[in-house]
Amino acid sequence: KEVNDMCSGIDSVFGNDRETAIYSVIHSRSLEGEPGFKLLRNVSRKSGCDPVGALEMTPGYIKSILSPLGMLNYPIVFITDGQNSEVLERLQNDPDIGPQLRLVPEEA
């Protein structure tokens, strides 16, 4: 869902509680296919980070980041460019992540 700005998106998810809400945000982007993979391979070589994790956003990848921080018990706001619906489907079907996912409502 396209929103005017992220503040209105977060407001639509948390309402008056947004200032005190504890949450994570997943920003799923395709980075336009192969150019995105090339960019992440370069970043990976320099940083040691996973070369495709940030594009694939598998439940295991997300859990490996959020679990050590104690954030799997809090809402996870999902933002996407809409080009890979499989990411959202995988996360929604995960027993740990799915119940915590929050999507920006259509009316936002």
Side-chain angles (χ1 to χ4, degrees):
K1 166 82 175 107
E2 188 172 317
V3 295
N4 294 327
D5 60 72
M6 275 320 302
C7 289
S8 65
I10 295 298
D11 285 350
S12 71
V13 173
F14 296 109
N16 292 335
D17 295 329
R18 82 173 162 93
E19 291 183 20
T20 58
I22 298 172
Y23 62 94
S24 298
V25 175
I26 295 174
H27 188 181
S28 174
R29 295 198 53 212
S30 68
L31 296 178
E32 290 63 57
E34 186 54 36
F37 281 105
K38 183 178 179 182
L39 170 70
L40 287 179
R41 279 192 301 270
N42 289 335
V43 170
S44 175
R45 276 195 295 274
K46 294 176 183 175
S47 69
C49 292
D50 187 301
V52 295
L55 291 177
E56 294 176 349
M57 294 284 184
T58 64
Y61 176 76
I62 300 301
K63 289 178 193 181
S64 74
I65 295 168
L66 297 183
S67 185
L69 300 172
M71 293 300 290
L72 281 176
N73 296 319
Y74 296 97
I76 302 169
V77 178
F78 185 82
I79 302 167
T80 182
D81 62 8
Q83 294 186 26
N84 188 351
S85 61
E86 292 175 5
V87 171
L88 178 58
E89 290 170 17
R90 277 193 303 263
L91 296 176
Q92 285 176 320
N93 290 327
D94 183 84
D96 300 315
I97 295 173
Q100 300 300 346
L101 279 181
R102 305 292 184 270
L103 306 177
V104 176
E106 290 292 323
E107 62 274 2

